[in-house]
Amino acid sequence: MAGFAQVGVLVLALALIYRPFGGYLAKVYSSPKHTRLERGLYRLFRLDPDAEQRWTGYAVGVLGFSAVSIVFLYALQRLQAVLPLDFDRGAVPPAMAFNTAVSFVTNTNWQSYSGEQALGHTVQLAGLTVQNFASAAVGIAVAIVLLRGFTRASADRLGNFWVDLTRGVLRVLLPISAVFAVLLVSLGVVQSLAAGVDVTNVDGSTSSIALAPAASQEVIKELGTNGGGIFNANSAHPFENPNGWTNLIETFLLLAIPVSLTRTAGLLLGSKKHGYVLLSVMATLWAGLLAITWWAETHTGGAASALAGANMEGKEVRFGIPASALWAASTTGTSTGAVNAMHDSFSGLGGGGALLGMLLGEVAPGGVGSGLYGLLILAIIAMFLAGLMVGRTPEYLGKKLGKREVTCATFAVLAMPTVVLLGTGIAMLVPGTRDALTNNGPHGLAEVLYAYTSAGNNNGSAFAGLTVTSDWFQASLGMAMLLGRFIPIIAVLCLAGSLAAQRRVPETAGTLPVTGPLFASLLTGTVVLVAALTFLPALSLGPIAEALA
Amino acid sequence: MLRGVLAQCATAVRVLLVLTVLTGLVYPLGVWAVARLPGLQDKAEGSVIERDGRPVGSALIGIDPVAKDPKRDPWFHTRPSASADGPLGPADPRVSGGSNAGTSNPELLTDVRARRAAIAERESVPAARVPADAVTASASGLDPHISPAYAALQVPRVARATGLPAAQVGQLVAEHTSGRALGMLGEPVVHVLELNLDVRRLAPAGAS
């Protein structure tokens, strides 16, 4: 009962912010005015904020910024030994530094390092926290550009990347983070610059407890759907997530932007109803994932959990099963990847639910920005399929979906499955992979499948029993993150350019309405069908086989 | 074309440097500075509990105490930890994390079986009465809490070992039990360290 009430409070909180926050986001990205601080910064950046870019220029901005960020973050880790507050944790090895740099710049936050052991406070703050903000702002910016592609007609300009990036950080992410970070500290989340504290335990023995500036990173890692914990145990660590309140707030933060962006889309597209339809699709998928994971964690499991009496391995007592399942569905549905329980120790079906959240293409409701553009891309695929059925050139939101649009959408949709299935397949053939597994049999395959799914979807959560520190895993998972992030982004920007160049086509009696349950069902069906057709064989060998065993 | 790319990369460097200052230094250090306020500082520095001016642990970190004489064990015990050496050993609080063993992992089955047997013997109860959180490793390896059921299981033994009346020990457990926030968030928990500190205060001779 309390578990259901907990979900109810979360949904209520999201409903309360939906209209004001979605409206605010729409204003941020459409207002022609710059604040004084922003004007000062643009002078510092030496750019004209009112000069808009073509889709190609915008893409160069995104890729250039990401490339520079990866180089900077790599260098910072390699130089850790000479940076302050490193606590003798030393330089990060090259392969791990590459993987981590790519991971945080792509909004994945896959972690092949152990937080409190590998990284000091300087790399955490000046490196990782910065990319938590920047990669989130990039994701939102790309989604906004796609919306502009639909709303603009006969245009070749789509906005200025640097302005969108700056506004996302200054007007959205930073102020919210500052307020919630202090709130989290007041509830017990640590914000310390010390390495740790030495204590004398009740039994007379001594221990050293690790500390870190966690609150400032905790907020943005959820709000920006990043997910990289400052501690190894992530949001299961009592210093990151000490009680029921912080758990509710953190779950709320990781859903806030992806959910509210559908309102932003409704407003900018001039059809609030379409925004609600997009939201209903996301909410249906999320509720489905939650139901699977929650039911599976309560009712299914293997011999070990049956003997123990409940699936409490890898879960914290203060969260129990309901709050762990709620978090798992939300973190995999949003591409956050932070965890408050260890997904590797979930039952076959429960872990399969978390895996499915990612395999749906991160649209339930998906990462900041990436969830919205992911769903719009699948909507284009859905309209294309509907067009094939009735033998008519498909239209969506007043634009024709011709060869170029459908090609771009196809690239965006196929990038992730290609990376996931090829990566998993090759990894299973690489000598040494079997030694890297904690679990054998179907669950072992699931560990590898989960890793490439998490990387290819820029999620970042893990079946952490897989040891991923070999050069092979560091390099291949790093590549999976890069391809899984930037192929869709380039395809989306190209699509936006092509949509904006078109004239608007008037709605006729033959236009499929996009504001009713028919379209919502068509879109939901497409999301499920694409994922099912692509991944059913892989899922059968992993989680499904384990659940049936 | 190339000039455009280079120009944007130069902009990227400038933007990244400014963002690093704003979001990587000003923001976290600003939060740190605000967290120095009275009422926030103790929490920001790890909710450390002091006795006689000495830090004795964090209210948020569970470290399992070890009894000098296992036959007269006066402590309430935390959950198992994946960072411990044996199935029931104390955790290493410098690292956090879970076992990542799946629910049908044979090694986990062995561990659960060993923990059930060891706890049933320690508490002199049938194995069937040992609750799930007592025989499973937490996600963090540092879970500061146990379920009210696991605490209740340990009350008679703690009372025996310390010489305190069982009713009084049960009263202590009740004092250190928190319900769900708002009656619905999370699960009811018992704070192990705070409980053990009270046991030591009331029975200094027994708890040694």
Side-chain angles (χ1 to χ4, degrees), chain A residues 290-373:
Chain A
L290 174 60
I292 294 175
T293 309
W294 192 348
W295 183 85
E297 286 308 286
T298 318
H299 292 97
T300 68
S305 53
L307 181 64
N311 272 352
M312 282 303 287
E313 181 74 18
K315 293 192 182 68
E316 300 281 293
V317 168
R318 63 190 178 282
F319 306 137
I321 287 174
S324 300
L326 178 59
W327 182 295
S330 305
T331 196
T332 52
T334 55
S335 109
T336 306
V339 293
N340 77 348
M342 294 303 147
H343 293 181
D344 210 348
S345 295
F346 276 25
S347 64
L349 201 54
L355 190 53
L356 188 61
M358 297 186 282
L359 291 175
L360 290 177
E362 294 292 19
V363 292
V368 289
S370 61
L372 179 62
Y373 68 68

Side-chain angles (χ1 to χ4, degrees), chain B:
Chain B
M1 174 67 193
L2 183 66
R3 188 179 292 174
V5 171
L6 288 179
Q8 291 226 58
C9 284
T11 308
V13 172
R14 289 191 282 268
V15 174
L16 181 62
L17 289 179
V18 168
L19 286 186
T20 303
V21 172
L22 279 180
T23 63
L25 296 173
V26 174
Y27 158 67
L29 297 180
V31 174
W32 179 85
V34 173
R36 298 307 97 190
L37 291 172
L40 292 183
Q41 177 153 13
D42 292 348
K43 290 170 175 159
E45 293 297 322
S47 306
V48 170
I49 301 176
E50 293 193 351
R51 287 290 181 272
D52 308 323
R54 290 203 319 181
V56 294
S58 161
L60 297 177
I61 300 293
I63 300 172
D64 200 31
V66 179
K68 291 220 169 58
D69 175 7
K71 296 216 168 56
R72 267 188 60 246
D73 182 346
W75 304 120
F76 282 92
H77 288 282
T78 65
R79 298 178 62 196
S81 169
S83 70
D85 288 334
L88 285 180
D92 177 357
R94 286 170 305 173
V95 294
S96 59
S99 70
N100 290 307
T103 56
S104 42
N105 187 312
E107 286 168 39
L108 178 61
L109 182 62
T110 310
D111 276 348
V112 170
R113 198 170 278 141
R115 287 165 184 161
R116 251 166 76 96
I119 293 170
E121 192 192 335
R122 188 182 75 204
E123 311 299 340
S124 319
V125 295
R129 278 192 55 205
V130 179
D133 64 307
V135 295
T136 48
S138 59
S140 63
L142 302 168
D143 198 334
H145 305 126
I146 53 177
S147 66
Y150 189 27
L153 193 75
Q154 304 185 59
V155 166
R157 177 205 16 103
V158 172
R160 255 194 329 273
T162 55
L164 294 168
Q168 191 183 5
V169 178
Q171 181 61 33
L172 288 180
V173 170
E175 282 168 24
H176 293 292
T177 303
S178 305
R180 298 180 171 101
L182 289 180
M184 65 176 111
L185 302 179
E187 298 292 326
V189 295
V190 178
H191 303 261
V192 179
L193 173 61
E194 293 170 16
L195 184 55
N196 278 330
L197 287 170
D198 269 2
V199 168
R200 186 173 71 172
R201 180 171 56 84
L202 293 171
S208 58

Side-chain angles (χ1 to χ4, degrees), chain A residues 397-423:
Chain A
L397 301 171
K399 294 295 169 87
K400 279 206 178 318
L401 302 179
K403 185 178 165 198
R404 187 162 162 186
E405 288 78 18
V406 174
T407 309
C408 287
T410 310
F411 265 99
V413 166
L414 286 185
M416 181 273 284
T418 311
V419 164
V420 169
L421 293 176
L422 274 182

Side-chain angles (χ1 to χ4, degrees), chain A residues 183-190 238-240 242-243 246, chain B residues 43-44 46-47 60:
Chain A
L183 179 63
L184 285 187
V185 171
S186 76
L187 292 167
V189 177
V190 300
F239 281 165
E240 288 197 24
N243 53 52
T246 55
Chain B
K43 290 170 175 159
S47 306
L60 297 177

